[in-house]
Amino acid sequence: MEKDYILEGTCLRVQMPRELDHEAGEQVKRMTDRIMMENPVQSMKLDFKQTEFMDSSGIGMIISRYRMLGMRKGSVKVTGASERIKKILLISGMNKIVDVCEN
Amino acid sequence: MGNTNEMRIEFDGRPGNEGFARVAVAAFCTQLNPTLEEVADMKTALSEAITNAIIHGYEGKIHKICLECKIEGRCFYVSVQDWGKGIENIKKAMEPLYTTKPELDRSGMGFAFMEAFMDEVWVESEPGKGTTVHMKKSIGR
């Protein structure tokens, strides 16, 4: 699990789980909270290439990370999102606060 | 006597059981030959209802959640029931972005997601007694 969180300079890369639900979202929050307490993190890259499922718990997690990083647009980037995940990000307006990038 | 089929399962309201419930619903609805997207929609909506029961209904304590599914023709009905806190103001609870638990980083979009992915969502609730979230989706043509 440790390999899912990689700090590259001040950018924290996180591998999102296959199912990003309430339980998984809590885990990502806990891990990234801990890393951010011990290291200077200025941005996060969330890699969704393994993610097949996401509900609004995942949205809550993304919003809270965006807040932790000072609510700067672009501080949270999303990569590897499938069409389904992109649709969910769009419906919830996440595309306004995070950068949804192609790989 | 039409095409009807029902199931009912009761399980602990643990975060780890959300995945199990999603798979159970997906399995039960295969008889309607849903598209992958329709299955994904139902799993997402169901996940929202169960998370609400766990976080809001039972406020994190472990109690039973009852999931019922019914197939009638091409209609798929799902209901999620808890015997927890209940909702004071259902209309307010269903408002997008409204949450009673901002400290838990809840997005307040649970009902919005349910309504986006299902055809109809309606709620019965009584404070102190519990809540039942009903959802319906027509599958295929």
Side-chain angles (χ1 to χ4, degrees), chain B residues 17-89:
Chain B
N17 281 339
E18 290 180 26
F20 153 67
R22 290 195 292 268
V23 168
V25 166
F28 189 67
C29 80
T30 50
Q31 54 200 280
L32 284 176
N33 258 328
T35 62
L36 285 178
E37 176 141 5
E38 284 168 331
V39 176
D41 286 354
M42 286 186 285
K43 284 165 87 172
T44 308
L46 176 75
S47 204
E48 302 295 347
I50 294 186
T51 300
N52 278 0
I54 293 173
I55 294 184
H56 298 290
Y58 293 134
E59 297 189 300
K61 297 199 184 64
I62 310 295
H63 293 292
K64 297 285 186 263
I65 293 178
C66 180
L67 165 66
E68 274 189 52
C69 294
K70 182 161 99 171
I71 294 175
E72 243 175 34
R74 298 222 61 81
C75 270
F76 193 74
Y77 294 88
V78 182
S79 72
V80 175
Q81 182 174 16
D82 69 72
W83 290 268
K85 194 171 169 190
I87 303 174
E88 295 272 351
N89 185 337

Side-chain angles (χ1 to χ4, degrees), chain A residues 32 40 54 57 63 65 77 80-81 96:
Chain A
T32 53
M54 171 156 134
S57 303
I63 294 175
R65 302 305 84 191
K77 289 190 186 356
K96 296 204 174 69

